[in-house]
């Protein structure tokens, strides 16, 4: 094994038969860690770089299997399960024995070679559908070197690749993955940088610059625009206006905000930041798509 | 012309709430009394004459109904009760009782062994009188009068050549009597149709009593009519045939002559499908579309699309659709089918012609013959008019072999040994696995031996001259289909619970032989005690990732090897009465039935719990997504399965969203077929929908789930079965 291929990265999972993360049928790996803190994030387990123990209280049957393997953290008595997470060394043994999946260790370290092997397994179906492998997250470029190796190995196997990124990344990180990435799936949340900072924790200049950089190189891009009522409704036209000038843009996908991630927030003892935000209606999403098309952009429905 | 929208209500419940005309004949009770006299005091009648004469009485004297509101109007009163499915008629019960009586008297020892094997969930050897495969081509070409004339001509020819021995004469006489009686029944229907003022049907049934069908309407009525008379007994027409092929000439002629317009054809299909739906045939009534036409081109035509679109519009699950896919099958039609599945119309199985024909080659049947195959029942190919396939000879439980191997041959339910006593403490996993295979081989030997013993009595138990008369071999040979009338007489055995077996074997390999967490005798004791006191180990095993269906080479190789051995013992093995064995891989509902008889297994399953179904992972163990599962299924050499091998695809609706979702699933199915997969069926439903339906069944009366080769209403399932499907749906979310 080459030294590069032995590089290890941290993922939270692999999802097969995915149709939303690029062309054709995809297998998507989720990398752990993200520099943004979007309030609507639906993958909160991918925010922190470090491993985390998740606990789904509603799944717990208080059987005490976890306490048997780890009494330091788990205490189960009289129908009550208390966790002392400060004592947890994230070994994952409790999750291994939990019968109902109430305990989950988010974060698994894996070599580039092993991840590439697992992602290449579905090549049969990628070729049949024009699909491939996608690195997502979290923000994959936080583990740029690892990503570059995984992508390189995939390209060697003839697998089409995509990277799903917020592009809040140093140019050097982007350059590492560039040669092995066929398509970038890029997010734009807002054009107004102050608004962007308010809702995601960071300003957007670097992101927009990186988009222009990729466009200048002629790299295929699909831009995703999350639509969150009351937060970025007014940003849709400015985003469309910005995108209309790009020449390597393959399409724009408007993502309707959903609130299905509440359970994961609870499991991680995090407060879901957008409790009171309403869901967009079908009509609103159709309207935003129409706005995008009005600017001559190709919209992607799925 | 009838208008479906006006008649719909009269058709939808016509079987549950029939209006048999009291003047038209005997009530079901009176009829039963009269018919039973043939069986209670047989008066020297041979079984086949007993059958023919009693059948003739039914045809001539049962009450009938002609529905004035539909073109497919005939019905006969056999006292059937309708629940979820049509219950057995008195005549069917007579034949079931006869079957049990004759076998328990003639082969008491074998019958007892079979009962043991049934309870223990090993195998249920059967002659399979149930799944019939009439030669629909002959039925359409000859019609009822033509089938009768063919019998008369064959009888005369045999008499002229001096080959008309007593048995043959009796067969011809019985069959001719049956067809005479059917013609009498048609005359009665005609009179009744005139009485109730259904002139269209009156004309149609008269035409069919005089000649072969000449119009599409007549052809469609003949399909339904023949099925209704063939199914008077225990047997079932487990397909109405490849309708686009059978109906094509009538359809074209009707359009060309201006007799029908396309909208009229749609209207006919509405009535046709709705009648089948209303009939509630057990396990749903199959019809087939697709395959090849006589020029080797796709049989899919505008007629196919028109029929499928009409079916889609009705939103019914019965009939169920068998689709024969091949490289010439148009993508547009495949996309239409995927869209239907996405809408929840999941009563659709798609079979891969190439894989089926390849499997037939393995049992020596060349492509030019197997190209005419027809899927029967759930998924099982058979070649109408060529092969007596007996598609459901038995189901062999692969997981039971593990149970017996762990306990040295002891069946933990009964505490008795079945066929073998084996070493309860082999030193290596390889030795254990060899013992496991020995047990499987003993299941196969037992099954084949038991089937052969039963087959000897099949003519006595269940002669069927009506069905036999559609089969040219039977007519030429002067023999009933259940008296070796067909020249090619094959048998079939299904082999299932592969995932339960592989997961159990891997648990033994890793926890007994590699890690040494437990000895085999200790595991045996623990399993006999249903895991009591071994919860930690059980949980470790359940959570262990090494499970079949996730594309893991270790598990895939094991599954492949097990099926390779089964293939060696089953596929092409002589059946002892003129044919060979075919192998299949579906489980129907035996994963539950056999599960009840199967003790706790090393994969963490508790005693009595269901086993894995079809070619599916154990519930909850499909952890790596559909593509990984497909790879596991393809690792098995599917060319062994001339008797079918269904793959259940379960997807969340979001995975088939939009046009891309349809295109992608269609491409994945095609790829699966190109790689050798035999057949697929889909459930596209989200856990959230199933949970909502469990909570508020009144809001989801129509929600259906593909169970095996048929659908069930979700709200009618037991809570535990519902839970299994919810768990499966959660696994794919």
């Amino acid at each position: 094994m080459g030294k590069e291929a032995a590089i290890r990265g941290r993922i939270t999972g692999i999802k097969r038969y995915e149709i939303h993360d690029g062309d054709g049928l995809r297998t998507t790996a989720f990398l752990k860690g993200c520099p943004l803190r979007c309030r609507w994030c639906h993958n909160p387990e991918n925010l922190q770089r470090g491993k985390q123990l998740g606990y789904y209280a509603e799944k717990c049957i208080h059987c005490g299997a976890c306490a048997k393997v780890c009494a330091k953290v788990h205490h189960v008595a009289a129908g009550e399960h208390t966790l002392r997470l400060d004592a947890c060394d994230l070994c994952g043994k409790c999750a291994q024995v939990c019968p109902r999946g109430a305990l989950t260790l988010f974060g698994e370290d894996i070599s580039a070679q092993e991840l590439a092997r697992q992602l290449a397994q579905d090549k049969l179906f990628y070729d049949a559908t024009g699909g491939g492998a996608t690195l997502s997250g979290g923000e994959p470029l936080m583990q740029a070197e690892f990503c570059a190796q995984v992508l390189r190995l995939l390209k060697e196997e003839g697998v089409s690749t995509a990277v799903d990124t917020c592009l809040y990344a140093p140019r050097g990180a982007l350059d590492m993955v560039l040669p092995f990435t066929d398509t970038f799936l890029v997010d734009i949340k807002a054009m107004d940088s102050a608004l962007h900072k308010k809702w995601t924790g960071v300003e957007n200049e670097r992101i927009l610059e990186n988009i222009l950089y990729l466009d200048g190189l002629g790299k295929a891009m699909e831009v995703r625009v999350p639509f969150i009522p009351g937060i970025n409704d007014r940003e849709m036209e400015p985003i469309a206006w910005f995108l209309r000038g790009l020449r390597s843009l393959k399409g724009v996908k408007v993502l309707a905000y959903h609130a299905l991630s509440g359970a994961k927030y609870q499991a991680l003892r995090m407060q879901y930041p957008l409790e009171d935000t309403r869901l967009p209606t079908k009509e609103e999403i159709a309207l935003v798509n129409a706005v995008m098309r009005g600017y001559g952009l190709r919209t992607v429905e799925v | 012309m009838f208008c479906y929208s006006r008649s719909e209500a009269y058709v939808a419940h016509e079987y549950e709430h029939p209006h048999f005309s009291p003047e038209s004949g005997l009530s079901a009770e009176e009829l039963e009394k009269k018919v039973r006299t043939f069986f209670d005091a047989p008066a020297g009648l041979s079984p086949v004459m007993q059958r023919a004469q009693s059948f003739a009485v039914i045809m001539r004297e049962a009450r009938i109904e002609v529905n004035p509101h539909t073109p497919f109007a005939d019905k006969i009163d056999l006292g059937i009760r309708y629940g979820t499915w049509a219950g057995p008629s008195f005549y069917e019960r007579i034949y079931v009782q006869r079957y049990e009586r004759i076998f328990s008297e003639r082969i008491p020892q074998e019958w007892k062994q079979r009962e043991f094997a049934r309870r223990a969930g090993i195998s249920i050897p059967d002659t399979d009188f149930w799944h019939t495969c009439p030669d629909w081509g002959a039925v359409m070409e000859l019609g009822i009068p033509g089938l009768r004339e063919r019998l008369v001509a064959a009888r005369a020819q045999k008499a002229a050549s001096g080959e008309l021995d007593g048995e043959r004469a009796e067969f011809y006489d019985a069959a001719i009597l049956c067809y005479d009686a059917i013609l009498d029944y048609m005359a009665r229907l005609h009179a009744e149709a005139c009485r109730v003022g259904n002139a269209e049907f009156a004309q149609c049934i008269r035409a069919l009593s005089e000649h072969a069908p000449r119009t599409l309407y007549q052809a469609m009525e003949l399909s339904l009519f023949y099925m209704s008379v063939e199914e008077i007994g225990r047997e079932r027409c487990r397909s109405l045939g490849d309708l686009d092929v059978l109906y094509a000439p009538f359809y074209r002629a009707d359009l060309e002559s201006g007799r029908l317009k396309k909208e009229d054809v749609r209207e006919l299909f509405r009535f046709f499908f709705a009648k089948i739906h209303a009939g509630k045939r057990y396990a749903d009534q199959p019809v087939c579309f697709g395959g090849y036409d006589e020029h080797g081109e796709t049989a899919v035509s505008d007629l196919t699309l028109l029929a499928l679109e009409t079916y889609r519009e009705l939103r019914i699950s019965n009939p169920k659709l068998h689709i024969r896919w091949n490289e010439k099958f148009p993508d547009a039609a495949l996309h239409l089918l995927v869209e239907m599945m996405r809408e929840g119309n999941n009563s659709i199985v798609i079979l891969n012609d190439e894989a089926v024909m390849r499997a037939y080659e393995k049992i020596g049947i060349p492509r030019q013959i197997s190209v005419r195959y027809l899927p029967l029942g759930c998924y099982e190919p058979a070649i109408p008019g060529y092969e007596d396939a007996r598609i459901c000879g038995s189901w062999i439980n692969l997981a039971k072999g593990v149970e017996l191997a762990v306990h040295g041959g002891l069946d933990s339910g009964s505490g008795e040994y079945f066929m073998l006593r084996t070493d309860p403490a082999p030193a290596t996993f390889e030795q254990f696995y060899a013992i496991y295979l020995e047990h499987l081989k003993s299941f196969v030997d037992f099954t084949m031996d038991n089937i052969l013993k039963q087959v000897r009595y099949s003519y006595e138990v269940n002669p069927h001259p009506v069905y036999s008369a559609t089969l040219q071999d039977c007519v030429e040979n002067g023999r009933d289909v259940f008296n070796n009338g067909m020249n090619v007489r094959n048998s079939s055995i299904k082999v299932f619970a592969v995932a339960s077996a592989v997961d159990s074997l891997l648990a033994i390999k890793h926890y007994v032989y590699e890690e040494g967490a437990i000895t085999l005798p200790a595991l045996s004791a623990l399993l006999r005690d249903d895991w009591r006191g071994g919860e930690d180990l059980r949980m470790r095993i359940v959570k262990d990732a090494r499970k079949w269906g996730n594309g893991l080479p270790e598990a895939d190789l094991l599954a492949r090897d097990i099926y390779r051995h089964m293939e060696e013992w089953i596929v092409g093995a002589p059946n002892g009465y003129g044919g060979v064995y075919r192998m299949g891989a579906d489980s129907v509902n035996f994963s539950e039935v056999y599960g009840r008889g199967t003790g706790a297994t090393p994969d963490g399953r508790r005693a009595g719990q269901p086993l894995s179904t079809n070619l599916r992972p154990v519930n909850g163990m499909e952890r790596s997504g559909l593509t990984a599962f497909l790879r596991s299924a393809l690792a098995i050499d599917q060319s062994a399965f001339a008797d079918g091998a269904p793959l259940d695809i379960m997807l969340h609706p979001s995975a088939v969203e939009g046009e891309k979702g349809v295109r992608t699933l269609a491409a994945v199915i095609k790829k699966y077929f190109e790689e050798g997969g035999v057949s697929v069926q889909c459930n596209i439903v989200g856990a959230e929908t199933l949970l909502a339906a469990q909570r508020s069944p009144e809001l989801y009366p129509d929600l259906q789930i593909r169970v095996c080769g048929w659908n069930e209403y979700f709200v009618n399932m037991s809570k535990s079965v519902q839970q299994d499907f919810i768990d499966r749906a959660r696994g794919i979310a």
Side-chain angles (χ1 to χ4, degrees):
Chain A
M1 195 199 304
K3 204 173 82 187
E4 299 86 359
I7 290 180
R8 292 174 82 77
R10 184 162 290 167
I11 64 171
T12 54
I14 294 173
K15 187 165 191 300
R16 297 184 192 274
Y17 205 98
E18 181 50 66
I19 62 167
H20 302 89
D21 296 337
D23 291 340
L25 186 78
R26 319 294 302 185
T27 300
T28 304
F30 296 92
L31 281 79
K32 198 159 170 19
C34 185
L36 270 58
R37 289 294 178 269
C38 306
R39 306 275 190 97
W40 53 82
C41 180
H42 58 265
N43 287 332
E45 74 280 18
N46 290 325
L47 292 174
Q48 279 187 30
R49 187 77 176 77
K51 293 183 182 179
Q52 289 165 285
L53 185 66
Y55 170 62
Y56 294 91
E58 76 285 0
K59 291 188 187 173
C60 179
I61 52 167
H62 310 108
C63 65
C66 49
K68 269 197 233 161
V69 294
C70 178
K72 311 189 276 198
V73 175
H74 300 284
H75 184 71
V76 182
E80 189 119 0
H81 183 173
T82 44
L83 290 89
R84 280 199 46 210
L85 286 160
D86 49 339
C88 178
D89 54 14
L90 299 165
C91 70
K93 281 188 189 130
C94 59
Q96 271 169 22
V97 298
C98 176
R100 293 297 168 104
L103 291 163
T104 305
L105 186 70
F106 291 116
E108 172 199 348
D109 292 342
I110 186 169
S111 73
Q113 190 174 40
E114 174 57 17
L115 181 57
R117 189 189 67 78
Q118 292 195 29
L119 294 177
Q121 282 172 331
D122 287 329
K123 183 164 186 306
L124 195 66
F125 299 105
Y126 304 152
D127 294 349
T129 60
T134 300
L135 299 184
S136 181
E139 173 46 59
L141 295 183
M142 281 185 87
Q143 304 180 52
E145 206 181 335
F146 171 71
C147 286
Q149 292 314 324
V150 174
L151 295 164
R152 182 179 64 79
L153 292 165
L154 286 169
K155 291 310 296 177
E156 281 173 16
E157 294 293 320
V159 173
S160 172
T161 57
V163 173
D164 182 1
T165 168
C166 71
L167 281 184
Y168 189 80
R171 185 64 53 83
L174 194 50
D175 283 339
M176 266 189 239
V177 301
L178 258 180
F180 316 113
T181 305
D182 295 315
T183 306
F184 283 91
L185 311 172
V186 176
D187 279 13
I188 299 185
K189 284 104 176 168
M191 291 305 291
D192 178 333
S193 193
L195 188 80
H196 197 277
K197 183 162 169 56
K198 177 176 175 197
W199 292 104
T200 72
V202 303
E203 286 156 348
N204 68 1
E205 283 79 2
R206 181 190 271 183
I207 294 171
L208 300 178
E209 278 166 23
N210 277 334
I211 291 178
L212 293 172
Y213 174 65
L214 289 176
D215 194 54
L217 295 170
K219 266 286 167 196
M221 260 186 293
E222 180 182 294
V223 169
R224 282 95 181 288
V225 180
F227 177 80
I228 310 115
I231 292 181
N232 68 351
D233 335 33
R234 286 166 198 280
E235 292 295 305
M236 297 299 121
E237 281 215 56
I239 290 173
W241 193 85
F242 171 75
L243 293 177
R244 68 195 264 267
L246 302 181
R247 60 193 175 102
S248 56
L249 182 69
K250 287 165 58 183
V252 183
K253 188 189 280 186
V254 179
L255 303 173
Y257 162 73
H258 69 74
L260 301 175
S261 313
K264 280 195 277 190
Y265 277 90
Q266 276 179 21
L268 290 164
R269 300 154 296 280
M270 291 161 68
Q271 182 68 33
Y272 184 55
L274 290 188
E275 284 295 356
D276 299 326
T277 302
R278 72 169 175 85
L279 303 179
T281 63
K282 272 189 186 145
E283 291 72 23
E284 281 174 317
I285 295 299
L287 184 65
V288 177
N289 273 303
V291 167
M292 297 291 168
R293 283 195 295 272
Y295 280 84
L297 300 168
R298 188 174 93 69
T299 53
V300 180
E301 306 278 343
V302 175
Chain B
M1 267 294 197
F2 289 102
C3 167
Y4 179 72
S5 60
R6 275 207 297 273
S7 297
E8 191 180 345
Y10 295 103
V11 178
H13 303 291
E14 66 166 330
Y15 286 94
E16 285 155 281
H17 309 294
H19 300 281
F20 293 109
S21 156
E23 296 78 40
S24 64
L26 301 175
S27 71
E29 294 73 29
E30 293 164 330
L31 187 69
E32 173 169 1
K33 233 167 149 184
K34 184 153 186 185
V35 164
R36 277 199 184 273
T37 59
F38 289 94
F39 296 90
D40 296 339
L45 282 182
S46 66
V48 69
M49 282 314 283
Q50 218 173 13
R51 175 97 201 227
Q53 292 195 9
S54 59
F55 175 80
V57 164
I58 292 170
M59 290 282 95
R60 287 169 175 153
E61 297 185 42
R63 263 179 206 172
I64 59 173
E65 179 192 342
V66 171
N67 185 336
H69 305 281
T70 162
F72 305 113
D74 50 303
K75 243 189 340 274
I76 188 160
D77 186 5
L78 300 171
I80 293 173
R81 302 221 189 299
Y82 290 86
T84 307
W85 278 321
S89 70
F90 71 82
Y91 199 57
E92 186 174 348
R93 285 199 307 272
I94 288 173
Y95 272 94
V96 171
Q97 286 156 6
R98 179 187 177 87
Y99 161 90
E100 280 166 8
R101 181 177 55 75
I102 291 180
F103 283 133
S104 57
E105 282 173 16
R106 299 283 195 282
I107 44 170
Q109 207 46 44
E110 286 81 2
W111 206 241
K112 246 171 82 183
Q113 249 189 331
R114 178 185 187 269
E115 180 55 21
F116 181 91
R118 188 186 68 77
R119 274 173 203 264
I122 292 168
S123 171
I124 312 180
D126 192 64
T127 33
D128 192 8
F129 299 118
W130 203 73
H131 298 85
T132 67
C133 183
D135 184 349
W136 284 108
V139 173
M140 288 297 152
E141 195 190 317
L142 301 171
I144 299 293
L147 289 170
R148 183 188 174 281
E149 281 158 32
R150 184 167 75 169
L151 288 163
V152 172
R155 190 188 195 284
Q157 199 252 325
K158 281 275 182 291
S161 64
E163 294 169 276
L164 191 68
D165 57 23
E167 195 177 61
R168 284 206 174 99
E170 191 167 56
F171 165 74
Y172 287 123
D173 292 344
I176 293 166
L177 171 57
C178 287
Y179 277 80
D180 283 339
I182 294 171
L183 289 165
D184 290 344
Y185 172 44
M186 295 168 100
R188 293 207 295 142
L189 285 170
H190 176 258
E192 184 66 11
C194 294
R195 194 183 71 80
V196 301
N198 190 337
E200 215 170 308
F201 176 74
Q203 219 179 5
C204 178
I205 200 76
R206 162 159 283 176
L208 288 173
S209 71
E210 290 169 354
H211 51 71
R214 290 175 185 161
T215 67
L216 179 63
Y217 170 32
Q218 289 169 10
M220 293 169 89
E221 168 57 24
L222 182 58
S223 297
L224 296 170
F225 178 80
Y226 173 80
M227 171 166 72
S228 75
V229 296
E230 196 209 275
E231 294 190 352
I232 294 282
R234 220 190 139 186
E235 309 77 7
R236 291 292 173 268
C237 271
R238 292 313 286 150
S239 176
L240 286 180
D242 40 0
L243 297 186
D244 40 9
V245 175
L246 289 170
Y247 293 164
F250 304 106
Y251 169 72
R252 305 251 170 274
D254 281 358
L255 288 190
E256 276 159 28
S257 70
R259 205 157 30 232
L260 293 179
K261 294 191 206 42
K262 285 200 174 177
E263 184 46 38
D264 304 327
V265 177
R266 281 180 199 277
E267 200 71 344
L268 278 176
F269 270 107
R270 285 183 195 114
F271 279 108
F272 180 81
F273 289 142
K275 177 156 177 128
I276 294 170
H277 184 65
K280 296 186 162 188
R281 279 179 180 73
Y282 181 77
D284 301 340
Q285 177 60 39
V287 298
C288 175
F289 293 99
Y292 292 99
D293 68 8
E294 72 271 27
H295 309 295
E297 293 302 318
T298 179
V300 174
S301 64
D302 54 335
L303 172 63
T304 317
L305 294 176
L306 187 149
L308 291 179
E309 283 161 10
T310 309
Y311 177 81
R312 176 189 198 178
E313 163 207 310
L314 292 174
R315 303 192 67 84
I316 53 178
S317 61
N318 189 6
K320 53 185 175 183
L321 305 185
H322 285 154
I323 306 295
R324 279 185 52 180
W325 182 89
N326 53 54
E327 78 288 354
K328 295 193 169 158
F329 195 91
D331 278 346
L334 183 59
H335 290 184
L336 171 66
L337 290 162
V338 172
E339 276 176 34
M340 287 161 71
M341 294 177 191
R342 183 172 64 180
E343 288 163 7
N345 204 334
N346 45 7
S347 204
I348 300 171
V349 176
I350 309 179
L351 291 96
N352 174 12
D353 284 353
E354 181 59 31
V356 170
M357 293 194 286
R358 203 177 312 144
Y360 266 116
E361 278 176 335
K362 276 205 170 162
I363 55 167
I365 297 179
R367 278 159 189 262
Q368 59 268 31
I369 292 171
S370 64
V371 72
R372 295 191 281 116
Y373 85 90
L374 180 67
L376 296 188
C378 292
Y379 324 91
E380 298 91 330
I383 308 167
Y386 176 81
E387 176 194 29
D388 174 12
R390 306 288 179 95
I391 61 168
C392 295
S394 187
W395 280 260
I396 285 178
N397 173 358
L398 291 171
K400 187 75 188 184
V402 183
E403 184 198 328
L404 294 195
V406 169
H407 306 316
L410 196 80
D411 165 49
S412 45
S414 62
E416 287 173 39
Y417 288 89
F418 179 55
M419 305 278 281
L420 306 172
R421 278 173 193 256
T422 47
D423 180 359
T428 65
F429 177 71
E430 287 66 33
Q431 286 170 8
F432 177 84
Y433 184 60
I435 290 172
Y436 167 66
L437 292 176
E438 265 182 67
H439 282 285
L440 293 188
K441 178 71 166 63
S442 77
F443 297 173
V444 173
D445 291 344
F446 157 75
T447 303
M448 290 183 174
D449 180 63
N450 206 288
I451 288 177
L452 187 57
K453 298 269 163 54
Q454 292 180 42
V455 161
R456 286 188 196 145
Y457 300 96
S458 43
Y459 189 43
E460 182 185 351
V461 172
N462 204 91
H464 200 341
V466 173
Y467 167 36
S468 304
T470 73
L471 304 167
Q472 184 154 357
D473 281 358
C474 293
V475 177
E476 274 175 15
N477 295 332
R479 282 174 172 272
D480 192 281
V481 63
F482 295 121
N483 187 25
N484 297 340
M486 293 298 288
N487 297 337
V488 176
R489 302 184 289 276
N490 291 333
S491 321
S492 312
I493 293 178
K494 281 81 143 22
V495 176
F496 81 104
V498 64
S500 295
V502 168
D503 294 359
S504 294
L505 288 166
L506 288 178
I508 290 172
K509 182 177 177 207
H510 293 295
Y511 291 89
V512 175
Y513 289 103
E514 286 176 8
E515 191 185 302
I518 189 167
T519 64
L520 195 65
L523 179 65
S524 167
L526 186 58
L527 294 180
R528 271 178 288 151
D529 213 10
D530 204 10
W531 290 102
R532 261 179 291 274
E535 194 53 26
D536 290 353
L537 178 64
R538 195 184 82 86
M539 202 40 67
R540 276 186 66 203
I541 291 172
V542 168
K543 305 258 316 185
D544 195 313
R546 290 169 287 205
K547 299 287 188 290
W548 187 81
N550 293 287
L552 303 171
E554 187 185 27
D556 291 353
L557 285 172
L558 202 48
R560 184 183 174 85
D561 192 63
I562 292 170
Y563 270 117
R564 192 180 61 74
H565 280 95
M566 296 309 276
E567 179 182 343
E568 189 184 309
W569 299 325
I570 294 174
V571 177
N575 61 10
Y577 66 102
V580 296
Y581 271 97
R582 313 151 7 123
M583 181 164 77
D586 73 75
S587 57
V588 290
N589 54 351
F590 285 125
S591 55
E592 265 194 78
V593 176
Y594 281 37
R596 287 198 281 274
T598 305
T601 39
D603 59 340
R605 180 187 145 280
R606 292 185 194 281
Q609 292 298 303
L611 301 158
S612 62
T613 59
N614 294 347
L615 284 183
R616 267 196 60 78
V618 170
N619 261 353
M621 299 302 151
E622 185 182 345
R623 290 163 170 165
S624 311
L626 177 61
T627 49
F629 167 38
L630 295 179
R631 281 187 271 114
S632 285
L634 288 171
I636 294 168
D637 180 0
Q638 296 199 25
S639 68
F641 301 124
D643 203 42
L647 180 112
D648 299 75
I649 290 178
M650 190 153 186
L651 283 173
H652 189 267
S654 65
V656 281
E657 240 181 306
E659 196 250 322
K660 180 185 176 185
V662 171
R663 216 175 346 111
T664 306
L665 179 54
V668 167
I669 291 172
K670 278 167 71 172
K671 190 72 207 168
Y672 178 70
F673 285 164
E674 281 163 28
E675 296 296 317
V678 172
S679 68
V680 300
Q681 60 184 7
C682 295
N683 273 308
I684 296 170
V685 64
E688 62 281 3
T689 308
L690 299 181
L691 278 167
Q694 198 180 45
R695 270 196 306 271
S696 319
E698 69 284 0
L699 300 178
Y700 295 86
D702 296 330
L703 177 65
Q704 298 188 2
I705 293 289
R706 191 81 177 154
V707 176
C708 183
W710 61 81
N711 280 24
E712 272 180 31
Y713 288 105
F714 184 76
V715 296
N716 291 345
M717 294 174 173
S718 73
K719 191 122 192 204
S720 70
V721 177
Q722 282 184 345
Q723 198 55 47
D724 274 353
F725 278 99
I726 291 170
D727 291 345
R728 261 162 78 172
R730 276 200 180 119
I732 50 107

